[in-house]
Amino acid sequence: MISGSGFVTLAALWDRPAAIVWGAGFLGGQIAVLGLKLIFNRTRPYAPELLMQNFSFPSGHAFTAVVVYGALLYGGWIRWSANWSRGLLALATGLLILATGWSRLVLRVHYPTDVVGGYLLGIAWLALLWMALHRWGAVGPEKLSVGSPEQTML
């Protein structure tokens, strides 16, 4: 939730419609994950040293990593024109997403299918947010232009 609210605050400085879509999207995503956990009711792997009391599927951390880092990737992608900066951003966000999922497995608080489920749900949710941004005009052709090369050297 902190990541989502921080991102929304930053987005609000740039573009109010986009901030509304992202803010509602982050909140709605957390509600969707909680709802799915209650529907699937899957217990966590046995790890007595960890005090995880809620359900396991889908992984909320994996979901949130995909949505937050995917949103940052999307924002950087439309603002930066240099291929090297886009590639570096894609690599960094991809590694952070994978590291988040791996950490859930190493800590033994999720099964691999929980992490994969969180990733897939995150990808689907990110696609819905992207469609909402385009549908409600928060991102349009004029907002996708990256400007002159001097302005977007990153």
Side-chain angles (χ1 to χ4, degrees):
M1 294 301 279
I2 293 170
S3 300
S5 62
F7 183 76
V8 169
T9 302
L10 289 173
L13 298 174
W14 291 320
D15 189 355
R16 186 178 208 88
I20 292 169
V21 170
W22 286 118
F26 285 121
L27 180 61
Q30 296 304 316
I31 293 169
V33 168
L34 179 61
L36 287 171
K37 283 180 182 278
L38 294 173
I39 289 170
F40 287 105
N41 203 18
R42 183 175 187 183
T43 58
R44 291 183 179 273
Y46 180 70
E49 66 275 6
L50 298 174
L51 300 174
M52 303 296 292
Q53 299 297 323
N54 60 356
F55 297 116
S56 178
F57 183 86
S59 169
H61 283 85
F63 168 83
T64 302
V66 169
V67 174
V68 170
Y69 297 130
L72 292 174
L73 175 62
Y74 178 76
W77 197 270
I78 64 174
R79 285 176 176 77
W80 297 341
S81 62
N83 287 335
W84 71 267
S85 61
R86 287 179 169 182
L88 186 61
L89 182 62
L91 177 65
T93 55
L95 289 175
L96 286 168
I97 290 168
L98 291 175
T100 301
W102 182 252
S103 73
R104 310 315 292 161
L105 299 174
V106 169
L107 291 172
R108 295 183 291 142
V109 294
H110 283 291
Y111 297 105
T113 53
D114 300 339
V115 173
V116 171
Y119 284 161
L120 293 175
L121 180 62
I123 291 167
W125 196 260
L126 198 57
L128 286 173
L129 293 178
W130 180 81
M131 288 188 295
L133 284 169
H134 287 271
R135 172 75 172 105
W136 289 307
V139 175
E142 69 285 348
K143 295 185 181 185
L144 286 176
S145 63
V146 292
S148 67
E150 296 82 28
Q151 295 171 331
T152 57
M153 293 303 286
L154 291 176

